[in-house]
Amino acid sequence: MLVDTVRTRLGSALFSRVAGPEGPVNRARIHDTPGPRWFAPDSPVRTVHGDASMFIGGIAALLLQSLHPLAMAAVAGHSGYKGDPWGRLQRTSTFLAVTTFGTEEHAQHAVDGVRAVHARIRGTAPDGRPYRADDPHLLTWVYTAEAYCFLGAHQRFGAHPLDEEGSNRYVAEAARVARALGAEDAPTDLPALRRRLTAYRPELHATPAACEAARFLLLTPPLPWVARPAYGVLAANAVGLLPRWARRELLLPHVPVVEDTFVRLGGHGMTRAIRWAMRPPA
């Protein structure tokens, strides 16, 4: 049928962009290799990380993470996010997939690989402060921003939003990966996550590098023009997930009536479309 053909082609194109050329091989290895996993099949972390709302949550997390000057300096100096944005996305999505759905052995191997990379990343921020990618305090910030945005996107746009218990379990499960990467005292429930976000607030502000990254993500994404309107809907809803103070720092507008109606409706429509396109064939 024509509809099935369209869905298959669209789903394949999305998967190829997000997972890269090795995506099919990695997917088979992650899901088909027998053995114990870090997380059970019905775990909240699998529910969140396996949903189309991650397309919005991922953009929001990058914007929020950029507000820590040392974390942003490390990204600007070493990640190559402009020169190889799709490669960076594919590496990140593969890491999330392996640690969420893969065997314990594969998950630990992925964590060890990231830790080895982090151990080599050192530098000096524009303000003169030294940074290192394996700094436990910075790793906790990265986890805090990701968990806040991933969960926030799922609660707003996910197919099956979590209840209070499920939300707390999600934060605890995500913290397991953060601790494996070297984060310190990672929050393990939603109230603690919100408190930690507030605790980081004095350290956060938009550097020129953060504003440049926001412009790249929101205004000049590496996409063909035909795909930019759909991406724009996702990006607008990612901005809508950010705390008000974060939006002010990045000079992002806030139009409540429009955001709460047309923008949010567009977000629901886009996530439903992505979910439909990437659903495995019956």
Side-chain angles (χ1 to χ4, degrees):
M1 293 178 61
L2 177 61
V3 172
D4 289 336
T5 300
V6 170
R7 182 173 66 82
T8 299
R9 289 181 178 176
L10 180 57
S12 296
L14 285 169
F15 182 73
S16 176
R17 280 290 191 179
V18 174
E22 298 300 315
V25 173
N26 287 333
R27 179 167 57 186
R29 177 176 62 89
I30 291 167
H31 293 281
D32 297 342
T33 303
R37 266 70 175 163
W38 281 355
F39 306 110
D42 63 346
S43 62
V45 75
R46 286 194 174 199
T47 299
V48 172
H49 292 177
D51 189 78
S53 59
M54 286 288 285
F55 281 77
I56 293 175
I59 299 170
L62 291 173
L63 292 169
L64 187 56
Q65 287 168 350
S66 76
L67 289 175
H68 197 295
L70 299 185
M72 188 62 235
V75 169
H78 301 273
S79 76
Y81 76 90
K82 284 188 177 180
D84 184 25
W86 290 111
R88 184 168 187 257
L89 171 64
Q90 289 154 11
R91 290 188 293 272
T92 301
S93 67
T94 299
F95 176 82
L96 279 169
V98 172
T99 53
T100 303
F101 301 100
T103 64
E104 291 181 353
E105 180 182 358
H106 289 163
Q108 187 60 55
H109 184 265
V111 166
D112 292 342
V114 171
R115 294 193 70 147
V117 172
H118 284 173
R120 300 193 296 268
I121 294 177
R122 300 284 190 278
T124 303
D127 62 10
R129 289 183 293 166
Y131 65 79
R132 55 189 181 92
D134 59 359
D135 178 353
H137 186 68
L138 285 184
L139 289 168
T140 303
W141 164 245
V142 170
Y143 151 74
T144 299
E146 285 184 350
Y148 178 86
C149 292
F150 292 172
L151 181 59
H154 186 80
Q155 295 302 87
R156 184 171 294 180
F157 300 106
H160 303 288
L162 303 173
D163 59 15
E164 182 178 358
E165 178 186 0
S167 296
N168 287 326
R169 284 180 57 202
Y170 170 77
V171 175
E173 290 170 352
R176 176 174 183 173
V177 180
R179 288 194 300 272
L181 286 169
E184 62 179 14
D185 191 26
T188 56
D189 59 41
L190 186 54
L193 181 73
R194 290 168 174 157
R195 289 195 299 271
R196 187 61 55 85
L197 185 66
T198 300
Y200 272 101
R201 179 67 185 91
E203 303 176 37
L204 307 177
H205 66 270
T207 61
C211 293
E212 185 177 357
R215 286 194 297 271
F216 179 76
L217 282 169
L218 301 176
L219 301 179
T220 59
L223 288 168
W225 284 103
V226 68
R228 291 195 178 187
Y231 177 85
V233 173
L234 298 175
N237 280 282
V239 170
L241 288 175
L242 297 176
R244 189 75 59 85
W245 55 262
R247 296 173 63 150
R248 287 196 300 267
E249 286 286 346
L250 291 168
L251 304 178
L252 300 175
H254 178 54
V255 187
V257 175
V258 175
E259 290 182 10
D260 294 342
T261 53
F262 299 108
V263 172
R264 192 170 299 191
L265 285 172
H268 283 289
M270 282 302 304
T271 49
R272 289 192 188 104
I274 294 169
R275 201 174 292 122
W276 170 78
M278 301 191 74
R279 186 178 69 241

